[in-house]
Amino acid sequence: MAITSTAKIRPLALVRAFGGPRYAVALAVDALGTGLLRPFLLLYGVTVLRLSAPVTGIAMTAGVVLGLVCVPAVGRWLDRGARSTVVAASMLVRVLGVALLLATPAGHSWPFATAALFLGIGNQAWPAAHAALVATVAHGRERDTALAAGRALRNAGLGTGALIATACLTGGTTALRALAVVTGLAYLAAAALAWSVHLRADPAADPAEAGAADAPLAPAPAPAPAPRMRALLAANVVYVFCLNVPEIALPLVLVTQLHASPVWSAAVFVANTVLVVTLQVPVTVLMSRFSRRSVLALAGVILTVSYLGFLVSTSLGHGWGAPAVAAVSVVCTLGEIVYAGSATALVTVLAPAHALGRTLARFELSTGFGLAVSPAVITALAAHGPAALWGGLAGATLLSSAAVAAEKDQGTQPKDSGTGPNGSVVSTSGALSASS
């Protein structure tokens, strides 16, 4: 369904909607630090700490899973009005994780597992905290664009950090330890910058309730119930598989099934990163003329087409298979961009002010669960051939798209009126208050 209002790319307004220049720098530094270490955490455990690969992998997986357990608490903290403090806390927790990582003696798995746990808590808490902060500062479609800009900036930082780390790997274990130190310092600097923004919301101070205070005989309106979003949450578990397609599914297919050079896998990954960085904001702005739910359903259709394209590409054999897979990966990345630009934005619109944090936490739980199970599901399906892998992903994603389109929005209220998005009152100090 088309709508008349569309967003525009206005750099200065986008920085303000993004949380101000100081917050943008904090996110860039945090992403750079994450890119330096996260792709090589397994390598750190195996080469620096001399742990076995299975033990290292289990510790990292446990850190991710246990980190998800903390997400509901993050949602409740956000619903009490905290914003920049939660973002800073998610970064500080990772500082502790890096410190434990550096202090872990060689051959000791439990300190490494504890470090992975703190890193997992920070990585799982950050998305909901960041989305809540942007939803508090930005209004309407400007909020969608700000969320998209955040994703583009984070992917740029992750990619840059990974490239720097790759160049440093020739230094062996000393270089890996140095990367961990730089990562910890980056997280600490990012946390200080994010905390200095001093952004807080008062979800209870709804403009409608303020008007009711002038008429004491009128009963106060009951808080809007938190949206159930059952179809959306279930569909999101399937949608997020697309995020692991360039990193897991395509390398697996290219190397083991098509026997192509690993260069093709690297090219696909680099192209995915570049496309997300360059197209995330423009595509989100372009899609702003349609409803967010319609755009999210469209993302499922695009992803389904790409999965079917991968199925056809793998049937071409060694000669043409790899180039065809690389070409179809562009379509898959486009679906990922459309999905990422609409999913979180839709959740922020559906959530009432008093339950914004808990609603975002539920959404991030579905995202984290999908990311956690997707490697095992993808590898299990790939073992049964291309038809099982790509046909299974295509069917599940198409059903998810239909479920998203069919679900009715219940319990939502008008947004972007009054003093802040979702009916919240924004309290700021420092640079942000002058720019928001």
Side-chain angles (χ1 to χ4, degrees):
M1 181 180 68
I3 57 178
T4 55
S5 62
T6 57
K8 297 180 180 179
I9 302 177
R10 297 174 295 174
L12 293 179
L14 182 58
V15 171
R16 291 195 297 269
F18 194 48
R22 196 179 300 171
Y23 184 70
V25 173
L27 292 190
V29 173
D30 175 76
L32 182 64
T34 302
L36 287 173
L37 181 63
R38 193 167 71 178
F40 307 104
L41 186 57
L42 178 65
L43 191 61
Y44 187 97
V46 172
T47 61
V48 177
L49 302 181
R50 301 190 187 95
L51 301 175
S52 67
V55 168
T56 306
I58 291 173
M60 292 173 60
T61 301
V64 173
V65 173
L66 292 175
L68 288 173
V69 177
C70 300
V71 173
V74 172
R76 290 191 293 272
W77 191 5
L78 291 169
D79 284 340
R80 289 198 292 268
R83 291 294 184 268
S84 56
T85 302
V86 186
V87 176
S90 71
M91 298 170 177
L92 284 174
V93 167
R94 285 178 284 177
V95 173
L96 181 57
V98 173
L100 286 172
L101 191 67
L102 292 169
T104 300
H108 290 69
S109 59
W110 281 108
F112 176 79
T114 305
L117 171 61
F118 283 113
L119 290 171
I121 291 173
N123 290 333
Q124 298 299 335
W126 181 85
H130 167 69
L133 187 147
V134 174
T136 303
V137 174
H139 302 249
R141 292 292 177 168
E142 190 178 62
R143 180 198 308 138
D144 299 31
T145 308
L147 289 169
R151 183 169 190 265
L153 179 61
R154 185 162 181 81
N155 274 268
L158 290 171
T160 303
L163 286 175
I164 295 173
T166 301
C168 295
L169 285 181
T170 55
T173 59
T174 302
L176 284 173
R177 287 188 179 275
L179 288 174
V181 171
V182 175
T183 298
L185 293 175
Y187 286 154
L188 186 61
L193 286 169
W195 179 82
S196 69
V197 170
H198 296 307
L199 177 68
R200 183 177 178 82
D202 185 8
D206 192 292
E209 295 178 4
D214 296 330
L217 296 180
R228 295 181 178 180
M229 307 187 306
R230 291 175 179 173
L232 176 58
L233 295 177
N236 187 55
V237 173
V238 177
Y239 270 70
V240 297
F241 274 56
C242 72
L243 302 180
N244 274 332
V245 165
E247 297 184 27
I248 296 175
L250 294 187
L252 186 65
V253 169
L254 287 168
V255 175
T256 65
Q257 296 181 3
L258 296 178
H259 307 289
S261 168
V263 173
W264 284 105
S265 301
V268 167
F269 181 79
V270 171
N272 174 268
T273 302
V274 171
L275 289 173
V276 170
V277 171
T278 57
L279 297 182
Q280 186 67 72
V281 173
V283 169
T284 301
V285 171
L286 180 65
M287 292 291 102
S288 66
R289 66 189 65 196
F290 305 102
S291 73
R292 297 173 180 87
R293 186 173 289 277
S294 298
V295 174
L296 185 56
L298 174 63
V301 174
I302 296 175
L303 290 172
T304 300
V305 171
S306 72
Y307 295 153
L308 294 176
F310 287 133
L311 178 59
V312 174
S313 299
T314 54
S315 67
L316 299 178
H318 177 69
W320 291 98
V325 166
V328 175
S329 70
V330 175
V331 180
C332 185
T333 299
L334 179 60
E336 173 191 335
I337 290 171
V338 176
Y339 155 69
S342 56
T344 304
L346 174 60
V347 173
T348 62
V349 170
L350 294 177
H354 67 92
L356 175 63
R358 282 168 290 172
T359 304
L360 283 170
R362 290 169 58 207
F363 178 74
E364 294 303 333
L365 276 174
S366 71
T367 299
F369 178 76
L371 290 175
V373 303
S374 57
V377 173
I378 287 173
T379 52
L381 290 174
H384 292 84
L389 173 59
W390 301 118
L393 289 179
T397 305
L398 188 60
L399 287 175
S400 299
S401 175
V404 168
E407 188 176 38
K408 302 298 182 181
D409 298 336
Q410 297 178 347
T412 58
Q413 294 186 357
K415 304 295 188 295
D416 305 313
S417 61
T419 55
N422 303 304
S424 61
V425 174
V426 181
S427 172
T428 62
S429 62
L432 181 58
S433 60
S435 62
S436 61

